[in-house]
Amino acid sequence: MALTVVAPLLLFGVLTALLAVHGWGPFPVEAALHSWAVAHRPSWAVRTVDVVTDLGAGLPPYLAAVAAGFLVVRNGGRPERRTVRIAQVCAPVVVLAAGQLLRNGLMRAFGRPRPPMADWVAASPSGYSYPSGHAFTAAVAAGLLVWAVLRGTRRGPWAVVVVAVSGLAAVAVGLSRVYLGVHWPFDVVGGWLLAALWLGLTLPLIPLIDRSPSDGGPPAPPPPGAGAVH
């Protein structure tokens, strides 16, 4: 667990510090990649990328989180208490929603400007640029779903497909934000690192739900003399 938290925390902290020292402006490599994207946007590609980028906002990420919750219940042996089952289904949704609040707060605190509005296409983003909300949300949703699939004991070929599609979708959503001109590349990298950090902090907590004392525990000891023969 330490590595899954410390590594993304350090990388996110270093990236954020570098951007702050640089005045939150784009690094040369970011400007070059942005310019390339703006210069290579045929209409068919923009339409395709516009569909991809929508996977990182609105309903799709929450559908993935709900699916992860149901997998947690199924793979955990379906606890008898209904409240526990509901809590397990809702836990990934709470992780995603709370993460979005965290990301939004950091975005406002950092206040990195977006690329010029003249370079935007097929998107009308709001707020500041770093870290990317779409990249973060898609990565957290994908991470929740992949984690729920891999922790199950009854895996089949479908699990490989889910893991591969989830990972590719998260990467594609992040890259789509650069292609549409609404984010600098390091915004996307920051969104991915923050997602990794958030998942590292929260995923170990979800399995603890079915260990709640309210869900039962070891039977109480019998009263003194209960087993005596008179």
Side-chain angles (χ1 to χ4, degrees):
M1 175 182 174
L3 182 62
T4 60
V5 173
V6 173
L9 175 61
L10 288 177
L11 292 173
F12 182 76
V14 169
L15 177 59
T16 303
L18 290 174
L19 291 172
V21 170
H22 195 64
W24 299 108
F27 283 88
V29 64
E30 292 185 284
L33 290 172
H34 174 80
S35 298
W36 182 93
V38 171
H40 296 82
R41 294 195 299 206
S43 58
W44 66 266
V46 171
R47 288 193 298 269
T48 302
V49 173
D50 188 34
V51 173
V52 172
T53 204
D54 286 341
L55 297 176
L59 189 59
Y62 283 93
L63 290 177
V66 170
F70 279 107
L71 286 172
V72 169
V73 172
R74 191 195 74 167
N75 296 333
R78 296 182 60 83
E80 294 182 2
R81 290 178 61 88
R82 183 180 180 184
T83 53
V84 174
R85 294 200 300 269
I86 293 174
Q88 289 178 336
V89 171
C90 294
V93 177
V94 173
V95 167
L96 178 58
Q100 288 182 310
L101 292 176
L102 170 65
R103 199 282 316 177
N104 189 64
L106 292 175
M107 174 199 71
R108 293 175 181 274
F110 299 145
R112 189 187 196 196
R114 290 183 181 271
M117 188 180 297
D119 294 339
W120 301 357
V121 63
S124 299
S126 60
Y128 295 105
S129 194
Y130 177 83
S132 167
H134 278 68
F136 172 83
T137 301
V140 170
L144 287 166
L145 190 54
V146 168
W147 170 80
V149 169
L150 293 182
R151 74 187 298 266
T153 57
R154 295 176 292 175
R155 299 180 214 156
W158 66 272
V160 178
V161 174
V162 171
V163 171
V165 171
S166 299
L168 288 173
V171 172
V173 168
L175 296 179
S176 73
R177 306 308 287 170
V178 177
Y179 191 77
L180 297 178
V182 296
H183 276 290
W184 301 111
F186 285 164
D187 300 336
V188 173
V189 175
W192 288 337
L193 290 174
L194 183 61
L197 171 59
W198 185 242
L199 289 170
L201 289 171
T202 57
L203 286 183
L205 303 178
I206 296 178
L208 300 180
I209 295 175
D210 62 355
R211 302 177 189 175
S212 171
S214 62
D215 190 38
V229 178
H230 298 285

